Amino acid sequence: MNASETIEAYYAALRAGDPLGPFFADDADRSVVKFGISERLVGTDAVRAGLREQTETTRDWTVESRALRVTEREGYAWFSDDMELCWTDTEGTVRHEYDTRWSGTLEATGGAREWQFVGMHVSTADDLGE
């Protein structure tokens, strides 16, 4: 699986409510970071715990890629995308809908998952008011 296919698999896992933590590198020597619309997670343990909580407290994801661009070079890849991102909280009371911008970096790890994220940033220009 190349970096583009890994990103697409991450999107599919998000839509399906599957575990997302394994997509992020697990290496104590690395400062893995994920910035979401409203959080900053630093370190593999924090990223995986945050993603686990996200999966447990959300459902009905819409993840629509509009402009995925990926570059791979010598064991590293970086990407950007414009996305429609929507989900409902598990209480079923709030539907969140955002136009988002994604960027990130992946590293070829050679492990069970050939490419893993070492950094991801998701942001929106939308007003976050409830």
Side-chain angles (χ1 to χ4, degrees):
M1 185 179 298
N2 64 31
S4 293
E5 293 166 337
T6 298
I7 294 164
E8 292 288 351
Y10 181 85
Y11 294 169
L14 182 55
R15 284 183 204 103
D18 293 341
L20 301 171
F23 285 91
F24 285 80
D26 184 12
D27 186 339
D29 295 336
R30 200 181 349 239
S31 293
V32 175
V33 63
K34 180 186 176 293
F35 290 92
I37 292 176
S38 62
E39 82 274 340
R40 176 179 182 261
L41 304 169
V42 178
T44 299
D45 291 344
V47 169
R48 290 182 177 194
L51 289 169
R52 217 175 7 260
E53 180 180 348
Q54 172 185 295
T55 299
E56 292 169 357
T57 60
T58 60
R59 61 183 175 84
D60 300 328
W61 282 82
T62 299
V63 182
E64 303 252 348
S65 173
R66 296 182 182 142
L68 180 61
R69 294 175 184 217
V70 181
T71 302
E72 285 185 37
R73 292 208 180 110
E74 299 178 18
Y76 291 92
W78 53 95
F79 77 98
S80 67
D81 204 349
D82 294 324
M83 305 269 290
E84 177 186 354
L85 193 62
C86 310
W87 69 91
T88 303
D89 63 61
T90 52
E91 296 171 358
T93 58
V94 178
R95 178 76 177 161
H96 301 269
E97 299 181 14
Y98 299 104
D99 286 323
T100 60
R101 305 166 292 210
W102 292 48
S103 62
T105 308
L106 298 91
E107 183 177 19
T109 60
R113 186 173 299 281
E114 186 176 343
W115 288 90
Q116 290 186 300
F117 294 104
V118 293
M120 181 183 286
H121 190 125
V122 179
S123 64
T124 182
D126 293 338
D127 180 9
L128 293 180
E130 301 288 328

